[in-house]
Amino acid sequence: MRLEMGNFHVKDIVFGDTLSYSNGVLTVNKEELLNYVKEEEPGIITADLRIVRPGDKVRLCPVKEAIEMRCKVSGKSTGIFPGVTSPMAQAGDGRTHALKGCSLIVVGEHMGGFQDGVIDMAGKYQDNTIFGDMVNLVFVADTNEDFERFEQQKKNKALRWGGMKLAEYIGQCVKDLEPEDMEVFDLPPVTERSAEVNALPGVVYVLQPQTQMETMGYNTLIYGWDGNHMLPTFMHPNELLDGCMVSGSFMPTSSKISTYEFAVNPMVKKLMEQHGKTINFLGVIMSTLNVKMNEKDRCAKMLALMASNLGAVGAVVAEEGYGNPDVDYTAALVELEKIGIKTVGISDEATGRDGGSQPLVSMNPMTDALVSTGNVSQLYELEPMEVIGELEALARDGNSGGWEGSIHEDGSVTMENNGMFCCNHISGFSKKTCADF
Amino acid sequence: MTKKAIHYINQFFGQVGGEEAADSKPIFHSELVGCSNMLNQMMPDVEVTHTIVCGDNYVTNHTDVALEEILGWLEKQEFDLFFAGPAFMAGRYGVGCGLVCKAVKERFDVPVITSMNEENPGVEQFKTEAYVFQGGRKATFMKDDMEKMAAFAQKIVKGEDLKPAAEEGYFPRGVRFEIPHPEGTMAADRVIDMLVKKLNGEKFLSELVIPKMDKIPPAPAVKDLSKMKIALVSSSGVVPVENPDRIQSASATKWGKYDISKLDKLPQGVFKTIHAGFDPAAMCAVPDRGIPVDAMRFWEKEGKFGKLHDYFYVTVGTGTTQAYAAKFGREIAADLKEAGVDAVVLTST
């Protein structure tokens, strides 16, 4: 399957009369976009758009989602999120155009929740999220979803869907333009590879997206399907790069993978890059995270056998989450190792405020190659900044990294890593690790 | 601004004598003795004000008395840092340094710095209690070992960023924290590097080395259930609706104990769950599904077991660290033992 990703490198976003892209500048018409999104998502009652740039002393809170603005030019799918905002179709072939180096960020105007986060565009924590280092169009809005207004766990449906639709609407402005550069992702079926490639060690990427919520509407979606209802499934990496996954609205945000990262997945890209050089990248095993022990066990055993049947001798396992899902993570690594598949795991740790706690809930000495992307319990001290959204949401609405007293009178903040938006970047973007002290 | 430090050494380095003086009691010098002078000269921003000299046998054989004397004297001193050793491979000296460092840390909460060779038994025993620097095998390493201790103390007093244990040169203290990756390498690149090395049978360095686990032996099985007093303990977050102890919904640092002596079940609206790790609707509707008082009363009436303990114990499991969980476990267990509870039903979510 061959996917052409036509890139447009955005240097700046500005407001103007006509939605357009030219010479690195994305121009958006605020009124047009707000009218569009309100019509598409009638649940949205108030909305605004802001532009934030790296170095702006601005704090975004509560952040609910980040999305790359794209459009589908050709291929089986007609939209950038098939099965979600466009009819079900296979993702990963044809041509997709993307506005690179920027994102659309969805922020709650007032209400946050357990799963939402903070992004700082300047200061000590600017580099903690990739979004602090890119120009962002910020969609900040409130909805009439009163059933969950005061709930700690929020589906954030209108805002998340509004964000996806805006990202695609804006992305359309480069549909007919010539891309500035093109990435080609062309990985043939596993049985149709050259002898040289077949001689290289076969490797699978095992992704464990967050799918633990039993109630529907919160979990990561795969082609619009709630991952809670899945068993391990073999997929082509292009499907991920072309928007088959939509991030959920559940669990502490620092361990989440945003929709942006599911599609701009650096781990998939690095594996593709190594394909034919150091490895034979067989493809993606999309697994799940579950709450029941027998479900965890079933998935771990099935994914290991799937890897083995594909002829894998190596596997990268990524866990979107921490705590309870560490059990699924370690189980997957152990089941793979048991049948002789060499694993590397990528996830974050929870070592507690004093650093003295067991970093993963479940540990096994067989997992001897782990990459650590951050510590959810790390305390962060944030300087005061102008806020887009409502900072109180961090302290008031049960955010996983905030608490009553998190926000100080001068606007400075004490919080846990837990509440910084996708900052442990389990997708592979993280430039953090953990060490013994 | 200069900070003050006090230095602990043994009878040999304190010039009292060798093995024959190992039982000597603590001596407190306001004129620096022996290697304390060298240590003092190594630190522009730290002044070593006193040397404490104590016999290795005295501090290891009469620990309580020795520590009482030392801590009692320290109460009257002003100091910001505490040093002990270096102890090289000398076992009793190492343990002595460890004992004193641990006690000083607990009482005065100041940085405590010592140094031992990796083969010194004091390392294993005290590396989580103090900064134990990796030292040489014998006294010829005195200068090298003290330089490491001194350089680290300088960093502390100047408020510089302290690097991971391996970089600073002390034995890991059993704590882990987040740091920027030293080379600024993206995690995906680190995965590829580790994967290719592992596939090729080359050496690689895991970023998280899985330590050995604490194995807690299970308690012996109950003999006669019909006579047993049983308690309910839970991480379900079910509490009285007003959450009187303000237990956190995630990353709990507290547990609560609530009276059920007059209840046959936990009524909706009187109890609820505050747990943020799952959809609370079902458990708020029937709090007994978190803490099964109803089922336990049923079996109590049937005579299946002796008595349900008058209180249940509860915290929130989600995000709660192992350190806190273990602390809760110890505290709750002590309370249960005192109340004569024989067995526990532990419900989780």
Side-chain angles (χ1 to χ4, degrees):
Chain A
M1 187 150 59
R2 181 184 163 92
L3 173 68
E4 294 175 346
M5 190 63 73
N7 296 327
F8 297 82
H9 299 278
V10 176
K11 308 279 183 307
D12 201 6
I13 304 175
V14 295
F15 290 120
D17 292 335
T18 314
L19 173 61
S20 62
Y21 174 83
S22 172
N23 290 324
V25 179
L26 172 66
T27 304
V28 295
N29 179 322
K30 187 191 271 200
E31 204 187 336
E32 172 196 355
L33 293 178
L34 292 177
N35 287 340
Y36 168 75
V37 76
K38 283 181 185 166
E39 201 178 298
E40 285 289 318
E41 290 295 329
I44 292 168
I45 47 178
T46 55
D48 193 12
L49 286 170
R50 302 281 296 270
I51 295 160
V52 295
R53 302 175 178 89
D56 288 354
K57 284 196 81 173
V58 174
R59 172 163 301 138
L60 311 180
C61 174
V63 179
K64 293 163 188 294
E65 175 67 299
I67 307 158
E68 188 169 76
M69 294 173 274
R70 296 176 163 196
C71 68
K72 199 69 193 149
V73 179
S74 65
K76 294 194 184 71
S77 177
T78 52
I80 61 170
F81 299 112
V84 180
T85 51
S86 57
M88 176 58 205
Q90 292 144 337
D93 74 336
R95 166 95 67 101
T96 299
H97 283 179
L99 292 159
K100 306 303 288 187
C102 64
S103 84
L104 182 110
I105 292 178
V106 182
V107 177
E109 190 181 331
H110 301 293
M111 303 307 289
F114 191 64
Q115 68 291 317
D116 298 342
V118 171
I119 293 175
D120 274 5
M121 294 304 298
K124 193 174 167 192
Y125 299 96
Q126 180 190 340
D127 300 338
N128 229 359
T129 79
I130 53 170
F131 307 106
D133 293 326
M134 56 177 90
V135 53
N136 300 297
L137 183 62
V138 183
F139 168 49
V140 48
D142 196 16
T143 76
N144 66 0
E145 293 158 314
D146 289 339
F147 71 97
E148 66 173 15
R149 193 165 186 81
F150 301 109
E151 291 297 321
Q152 193 177 16
Q153 303 275 10
K154 290 183 171 63
K155 295 178 190 176
N156 288 318
K157 169 115 201 286
L159 291 175
R160 289 159 64 216
W161 262 247
M164 285 187 277
K165 287 173 181 174
L166 273 177
E168 182 151 20
Y169 186 89
I170 296 164
Q172 296 288 333
C173 75
V174 290
K175 189 170 184 175
D176 300 323
L177 302 184
E178 194 55 39
E180 292 160 10
D181 64 57
M182 188 91 86
E183 290 171 283
V184 177
F185 303 100
D186 191 357
L187 194 69
V190 284
T191 52
E192 293 174 21
R193 299 184 182 178
S194 68
E196 293 79 42
V197 169
N198 278 329
L200 295 167
V203 170
V204 289
Y205 175 53
V206 179
L207 183 54
Q208 299 180 304
Q210 180 47 253
T211 58
Q212 289 193 294
M213 194 69 164
E214 300 280 323
T215 310
M216 296 297 95
Y218 299 91
N219 290 324
T220 303
L221 300 174
I222 297 104
Y223 286 112
W225 185 250
D226 194 303
N228 188 275
H229 294 169
M230 272 180 59
L231 289 171
T233 299
F234 184 55
M235 295 178 76
H236 195 286
N238 285 6
E239 294 177 85
L240 273 68
L241 298 175
D242 203 24
C244 78
M245 301 194 69
V246 168
S247 181
S249 183
F250 178 57
M251 76 161 202
T253 184
S254 71
S255 308
K256 271 172 67 166
I257 300 178
S258 59
T259 296
Y260 178 98
E261 293 169 86
F262 273 127
V264 190
N265 187 320
M267 199 65 250
V268 168
K269 285 190 174 186
K270 294 287 171 188
L271 288 164
M272 292 287 253
E273 221 174 82
Q274 291 300 314
H275 175 71
K277 293 179 191 159
T278 57
I279 60 166
N280 174 13
F281 184 24
L282 298 168
V284 179
I285 295 179
M286 185 62 61
S287 190
T288 66
L289 293 170
N290 304 105
V291 285
K292 298 190 189 84
M293 203 59 212
N294 66 344
E295 294 173 347
K296 293 173 189 287
D297 191 36
R298 182 181 301 116
C299 280
K301 292 196 159 90
M302 285 185 69
L303 72 85
L305 204 52
M306 188 177 285
S308 164
N309 286 332
L310 288 161
V313 295
V316 174
V317 180
E319 172 205 12
E320 188 194 10
Y322 78 95
N324 180 299
D326 293 341
V327 176
D328 309 56
Y329 176 54
T330 294
L333 291 162
V334 167
E335 290 298 334
L336 288 159
E337 289 282 345
K338 274 204 256 178
I339 53 173
I341 296 174
K342 291 180 172 156
T343 58
V344 177
I346 171 170
S347 192
D348 55 10
E349 304 181 28
T351 71
R353 293 270 178 90
D354 62 0
S357 286
Q358 184 174 307
L360 301 174
V361 163
S362 164
M363 303 205 295
N364 187 309
M366 286 176 90
T367 67
D368 64 354
L370 301 174
V371 166
S372 177
T373 63
N375 173 24
V376 301
S377 347
Q378 199 78 18
L379 272 188
Y380 290 169
E381 301 283 351
L382 282 57
E383 62 184 285
M385 279 186 205
E386 180 203 338
V387 174
I388 293 180
E390 196 164 296
L391 189 58
E392 265 305 306
L394 179 70
R396 180 193 60 208
D397 302 339
N399 184 287
S400 56
W403 55 88
E404 221 179 288
S406 263
I407 302 161
H408 311 303
E409 254 175 45
D410 64 352
S412 63
V413 171
T414 305
M415 63 180 287
E416 277 187 4
N417 161 305
N418 260 320
M420 191 158 279
F421 183 72
C422 295
C423 80
N424 292 341
H425 290 311
I426 288 158
S427 61
F429 279 120
S430 174
K431 290 186 176 171
K432 299 181 297 180
T433 184
C434 294
D436 293 317
F437 277 82
Chain B
M1 207 177 64
T2 308
K3 298 280 182 185
K4 289 180 176 171
I6 291 174
H7 187 200
Y8 172 94
I9 53 179
N10 76 353
Q11 80 283 352
F12 180 75
F13 293 99
Q15 297 161 10
V16 180
E19 188 60 31
E20 78 287 352
D23 285 310
S24 62
K25 294 186 175 185
I27 309 165
F28 305 99
H29 295 279
S30 53
E31 291 258 314
L32 298 187
V33 177
C35 59
S36 292
N37 285 300
M38 199 200 291
L39 180 64
N40 188 35
Q41 282 159 16
M42 288 172 175
M43 301 180 292
D45 300 297
V46 182
E47 184 199 353
V48 182
T49 59
H50 297 81
T51 307
I52 304 175
V53 180
C54 183
D56 286 337
N57 287 350
Y58 189 74
V59 71
T60 49
N61 294 342
H62 309 281
T63 305
D64 290 350
V65 192
L67 291 180
E68 200 175 305
E69 283 175 54
I70 292 168
L71 295 178
W73 178 80
L74 284 171
E75 289 280 3
K76 292 173 278 180
Q77 312 304 322
E78 273 178 38
F79 62 105
D80 310 290
L81 295 158
F82 190 84
F83 291 96
F88 315 108
M89 249 181 33
R92 275 172 302 160
Y93 189 15
V95 171
C97 288
L99 285 168
V100 175
C101 281
K102 178 174 189 277
V104 170
K105 175 99 184 83
E106 282 170 2
R107 177 75 65 90
F108 303 103
D109 196 27
V110 295
V112 290
I113 301 169
T114 183
S115 165
M116 302 176 205
N117 182 263
E118 59 186 348
E119 289 177 35
N120 193 315
V123 172
E124 214 36 58
Q125 210 175 333
F126 294 103
K127 66 181 180 186
T128 61
E129 313 287 351
Y131 291 109
V132 182
F133 277 79
Q134 305 190 22
R137 295 169 65 84
K138 48 187 199 280
T140 48
F141 289 93
M142 177 71 86
K143 186 160 173 284
D144 294 353
D145 290 359
M146 289 218 300
E147 266 169 357
K148 286 192 214 166
M149 295 161 71
F152 188 67
Q154 276 288 122
K155 283 178 109 171
I156 291 179
V157 301
K158 289 171 93 173
E160 288 177 22
D161 271 352
L162 303 179
K163 303 286 184 217
E167 241 173 287
E168 298 287 359
Y170 61 86
F171 294 98
R173 294 171 300 151
V175 294
R176 285 175 68 77
F177 295 106
E178 177 178 294
I179 53 163
H181 187 263
E183 278 88 48
T185 312
M186 198 167 80
D189 288 316
R190 281 136 62 190
V191 169
I192 294 289
D193 181 62
M194 211 181 278
L195 178 71
V196 172
K197 281 181 176 154
K198 191 169 172 178
L199 288 171
N200 293 340
E202 294 163 28
K203 272 200 178 148
F204 58 89
L205 227 52
S206 180
E207 295 179 16
L208 169 60
V209 176
I210 302 303
K212 281 184 193 153
M213 299 290 174
D214 277 348
K215 291 255 189 231
I216 310 289
V222 294
K223 287 205 176 70
D224 183 358
L225 196 56
S226 69
K227 294 192 175 66
M228 294 288 126
K229 184 170 166 185
I230 296 180
L232 288 168
V233 181
S234 176
S235 63
S236 62
V238 170
V239 294
V241 280
E242 66 277 16
N243 189 11
D245 296 307
R246 312 283 290 164
I247 297 173
Q248 299 90 336
S249 294
S251 304
T253 58
K254 301 174 199 172
W255 55 273
K257 171 184 174 182
Y258 305 109
D259 192 348
I260 46 168
S261 57
K262 295 178 182 64
L263 295 175
D264 282 333
K265 64 182 196 115
L266 300 180
Q268 180 182 19
V270 181
F271 290 88
K272 68 167 184 185
T273 181
I274 49 145
H275 196 293
F278 57 84
D279 183 346
M283 200 177 285
C284 285
V286 187
D288 290 274
R289 294 294 67 78
I291 313 242
V293 175
D294 55 354
M296 291 300 281
R297 288 284 181 226
F298 174 82
W299 291 113
E300 188 184 31
K301 278 174 196 147
E302 294 278 305
K304 191 91 176 169
F305 64 91
K307 182 183 167 13
L308 181 63
H309 182 42
D310 286 344
Y311 299 87
F312 74 81
Y313 300 74
V314 69
T315 185
V316 162
T318 195
T320 298
T321 61
Q322 190 205 9
Y324 271 111
K327 177 175 176 279
F328 301 164
R330 284 191 297 271
E331 291 167 354
I332 293 171
D335 203 75
L336 292 170
K337 284 206 111 168
E338 196 167 320
V341 171
D342 302 296
V344 162
V345 172
L346 194 64
T347 57
S348 157
T349 51

